[in-house]
Amino acid sequence: MLVSCITHAGARGKKHAFRGLTEKGWQEANSAAERFKELMEEEVPHIGVVVSSPKARCLETAVLFAKVLSDFGLITTSEVQVDAGLKAGFITGDELFLLANRIETRHLLVSAHADLAKALPAGTELLSTAVRDGWFTTRPVLFTIDYEAREPWDTARVLYCEGFVNEEWQRLV
């Protein structure tokens, strides 16, 4: 199965009661979907399940990303499931592994926070500037993992991992 992930795009600051995306964040989410299409050039299974952190910035990112993928014909659902375990600061490392083994689909999309860096398979070598204290240093970050269900997570393979840095997509692995 494939597990594709996006960290939320640019959001309003902590002083705002509703921390949804900024206009720039909307553009970043759209750019991420277009980049995803480019990176997944081969025939890939359509995304069948979308799971998001309950935070507005992640939900908005998931919806915008999925909308663009729908325009490309790469998604088969309009439903976004919410998982409280994907809240910022709650990701400890096994969240993607647990989701991949709980949800039956050929392609899962997860929208969450920059601490998704902790959930990458062990041995994933990120650029030293890509992560600090287990958090991606840029956003959004887009990555896809090829994982065989019920196998150890460490055997999963990161197909790509890119971050939006200075208005450009750059490899982080």
Side-chain angles (χ1 to χ4, degrees):
M1 88 179 295
L2 296 177
V3 181
S4 294
C5 299
I6 183 168
T7 64
H8 71 77
R12 292 177 180 87
K14 293 181 181 182
K15 67 179 180 176
H16 293 274
F18 182 79
R19 290 197 59 204
L21 298 182
T22 61
E23 187 172 326
K24 183 178 178 186
W26 298 336
Q27 294 167 355
E28 291 169 351
N30 287 328
S31 175
E34 290 171 10
R35 183 65 181 151
F36 173 83
K37 183 180 181 292
E38 292 171 10
L39 289 166
M40 301 300 284
E41 290 178 8
E42 300 174 19
E43 192 68 31
V44 297
H46 291 49
I47 293 170
V49 177
V50 179
V51 179
S52 176
S53 160
K55 298 297 185 177
R57 53 198 180 273
C58 295
L59 285 164
E60 278 189 271
T61 299
V63 169
L64 289 168
F65 189 88
K67 195 257 183 242
V68 174
L69 294 184
S70 175
D71 293 345
F72 293 139
L74 296 174
I75 194 164
T76 60
T77 184
S78 63
E79 180 180 325
V80 177
Q81 299 176 23
V82 174
D83 187 319
L86 294 173
K87 285 197 276 188
F90 283 74
I91 295 175
T92 59
D94 62 352
E95 287 75 12
L96 294 179
F97 170 74
L98 294 172
L99 282 172
N101 282 294
R102 186 183 85 219
I103 296 175
E104 291 189 31
T105 185
R106 293 180 57 212
H107 197 166
L108 170 66
L109 173 64
V110 177
S111 177
H113 304 272
D115 55 346
L116 271 178
K118 297 174 191 169
L120 290 168
T124 303
E125 294 184 30
L126 294 168
L127 298 175
S128 61
T129 57
V131 177
R132 185 174 53 243
D133 299 325
W135 293 71
F136 286 113
T137 57
T138 189
R139 72 172 58 96
V141 170
L142 182 62
F143 61 88
T144 294
I145 298 169
D146 187 8
Y147 171 66
E148 186 67 38
R150 312 287 184 255
E151 293 296 319
W153 187 243
D154 294 348
T155 64
R157 185 171 58 101
V158 176
L159 300 179
Y160 64 85
C161 180
E162 292 193 359
F164 201 58
V165 180
N166 299 323
E167 308 295 318
E168 292 183 9
W169 288 98
Q170 295 183 4
R171 293 181 59 201
L172 302 180
V173 291

